[in-house]
Amino acid sequence: MSMIEQSWYKQPRFLTVLLLPLSCIFWLISTLRVSLYKLKILKAFKANVPIIVVGNISVGGNGKTPFVIWLAEYLQQQGLKVAVISRGYGGKSSSYPLLVTQKTTSSEAGDEPVLIQRRLGCVVMVGPNRQASIEKLQQEHAIDIIISDDGMQHYKMARDIECCIVDSERQFGNGFLMPAGPLRETKARLKSVDIVVENGGATNYRYDLVPSQFRSVASFERVSDTLNTGHAISAIGNPLRFELSLKQQGIDLLSTHHFRDHYNYQPTDFSGFENDAVFMTEKDAVKCFSFAKPNWYYLPVDARPTAAVIEKLHSLLKQKGILHGL
C-alpha cells in the first residue's frame, strides 16, 4: 500500500491536509461536468438495449467482478442475452474496441475482462471509448442487455440501472475526494443510485464471497489434492480479505506478497519461492497461467447476494421494462 493509500484508510495525516486543495479542484471540475450533463449541454449516448452499470464511488478494488459475474448469470437465467463492456484497465491492445476471446491475454484486455469471459463465455467488449464498444456490440452481436463493469462516473453513457458496490471493510476511507481521499464522488452520490450493495458486512443489501474449490493456475482444472502450506501473492484492492479466505481453507501461509492492483506479473516475481506452493486469486491467475508451475493454485470465489438484493434487482428490472411478466 502506497503512502497516499495509507493516508486514505488510516488516521488523518499531514499528507491528507496537504492534498485537500487538489481535492477541492477535483470536486469543482467533476461537479461542473455532472451539471453540464444534467442541463443537457453535454449529450449522453443512449444504447438501443438497456445498460446496467456496476460501479463504485471509490478507487481501488471493491469486489465488483464477482458481482458482475453473478449478475450476468442471473440475467441469463431470465432468458436474456448478456454482453459485458469494460475499460480494460491494465491492458494495451493495438486496436479498440477489442472482443475478448479464449485466446485474448490479460496484457491485451486487462485481467478482469479476461476473467469474466472465461467464467461466462458471453460477449465481452473492451475499450476506453464505451460508446464505440456499445456500437460495435449492437452491430455485430444479438444482445438483449449490457452490463458495464465500472463506469458510474462515465456520464456520457446513459444507463438504466446503477448498482454501486461498497467494500464493507474499507467503506469510504477518510471520506475525502481524490487525491486526499479514495472517493471519485462524494457519498451524496449514493442517494441517486438504484441499489447500493456491500461486499460482505451485515447489511441486508450485501453479497458474501463464497470460496469454491482450488484450481491449478497452469490448467484451470480443479485440484483434488490436500493443500496445506504455501505463499500468498495478490494484486488486488484488498489482499487481506483473500489471505483470510486462504487461512479459512486451512492453508498455513509461509509469506504474503502484495502488488498494486492490476499488476502485470513476470516470472521473476516468483523466483524466491523455489518449489513451494503458491496461492493467488482468480484475477491473478489469468495473468500467470502461461508460466505457472504445477504447484501454483488459485481460489475461485462466487458472489452470493442476499434475498433482499435479488428481490430489489428483480423489481428494478420489471420497473424498467427489461423483464416482461416475470
Side-chain angles (χ1 to χ4, degrees):
M1 184 180 289
S2 68
M3 185 180 298
I4 289 181
E5 288 177 307
Q6 288 179 19
S7 71
W8 290 351
Y9 296 107
K10 297 183 182 296
Q11 292 296 322
R13 298 183 175 184
F14 174 73
L15 183 59
T16 303
V17 177
L18 190 66
L19 294 173
L20 276 176
L22 294 178
S23 294
C24 292
I25 296 173
F26 181 87
W27 177 82
L28 286 170
I29 294 173
S30 60
T31 300
L32 174 61
R33 183 169 168 272
V34 172
S35 299
L36 291 174
Y37 277 104
K38 285 183 176 180
L39 294 171
K40 296 185 179 181
I41 295 173
L42 293 178
K43 303 294 183 181
F45 167 76
K46 177 66 176 175
N48 294 332
V49 297
I51 292 180
I52 300 178
V53 171
V54 179
N56 50 45
I57 63 168
S58 60
V59 298
N62 291 288
K64 294 192 314 299
T65 302
F67 188 80
V68 167
I69 292 171
W70 173 83
L71 178 60
E73 290 176 335
Y74 176 77
L75 294 171
Q76 288 172 337
Q77 291 168 6
Q78 310 306 311
L80 298 173
K81 295 177 181 178
V82 182
V84 178
I85 60 171
S86 172
R87 169 67 179 81
Y89 187 82
K92 292 183 179 180
S93 174
S94 57
S95 63
Y96 292 106
L98 173 67
L99 178 66
V100 181
T101 69
Q102 287 288 322
K103 296 182 180 180
T104 306
T105 65
S106 59
S107 60
E108 294 174 306
D111 45 27
E112 291 165 348
V114 171
L115 188 162
I116 291 169
Q117 199 283 329
R118 282 183 175 273
R119 276 286 200 108
L120 298 171
C122 71
V123 177
V124 178
M125 194 73 73
V126 166
N129 185 327
R130 287 182 174 84
Q131 180 175 342
S133 293
I134 292 169
E135 289 175 342
K136 188 174 179 67
L137 279 175
Q138 294 177 160
Q139 291 168 3
E140 301 180 0
H141 302 274
I143 56 174
D144 299 315
I145 191 167
I146 295 171
I147 299 174
S148 177
D149 182 11
D150 212 352
M152 268 184 58
Q153 291 74 38
H154 191 73
Y155 289 100
K156 185 178 180 181
M157 177 182 67
R159 70 286 310 265
D160 297 83
I161 297 174
E162 287 185 322
C163 303
C164 181
I165 307 301
V166 176
D167 188 309
S168 63
E169 294 180 2
R170 298 190 299 172
Q171 290 285 319
F172 308 105
N174 59 18
F176 292 119
L177 290 172
M178 295 173 59
L183 299 187
R184 302 173 179 179
E185 297 181 277
T186 67
K187 287 186 285 185
R189 176 70 165 88
L190 299 179
K191 297 177 181 179
S192 65
V193 303
D194 295 287
I195 181 171
V196 178
V197 186
E198 284 199 11
N199 174 6
T203 177
N204 285 337
Y205 289 94
R206 74 173 192 280
Y207 63 91
D208 299 311
L209 293 177
V210 182
S212 183
Q213 187 176 347
F214 282 106
R215 290 178 178 263
S216 164
V217 177
S219 67
F220 292 95
E221 295 179 355
R222 292 186 178 183
V223 176
S224 57
D225 299 339
T226 301
L227 306 176
N228 300 309
T229 62
H231 305 273
I233 185 168
S234 58
I236 56 177
N238 189 355
L240 297 181
R241 188 194 295 271
F242 165 62
E243 290 156 13
L244 177 60
S245 68
L246 289 177
K247 293 175 182 177
Q248 291 172 340
Q249 296 295 309
I251 304 298
D252 182 19
L253 297 181
L254 301 174
S255 65
T256 59
H257 303 267
H258 303 161
F259 293 82
R260 69 179 183 275
D261 199 12
H262 301 289
Y263 177 75
N264 189 21
Y265 290 104
Q266 303 299 320
T268 52
D269 295 322
F270 301 83
S271 59
F273 301 139
E274 302 300 333
N275 294 318
D276 293 334
V278 173
F279 297 94
M280 62 184 68
T281 69
E282 187 172 9
K283 179 176 165 180
D284 297 311
V286 298
K287 296 179 284 189
C288 300
F289 71 92
S290 63
F291 54 83
K293 292 183 178 181
N295 62 341
W296 292 9
Y297 310 99
Y298 71 91
L299 184 63
V301 292
D302 297 308
R304 183 179 293 171
T306 61
V309 171
I310 298 172
E311 290 171 6
K312 177 67 174 178
L313 278 171
H314 194 84
S315 176
L316 287 168
L317 291 167
K318 290 183 69 175
Q319 289 174 20
K320 301 292 183 177
I322 299 170
L323 295 182
H324 302 283
L326 297 177

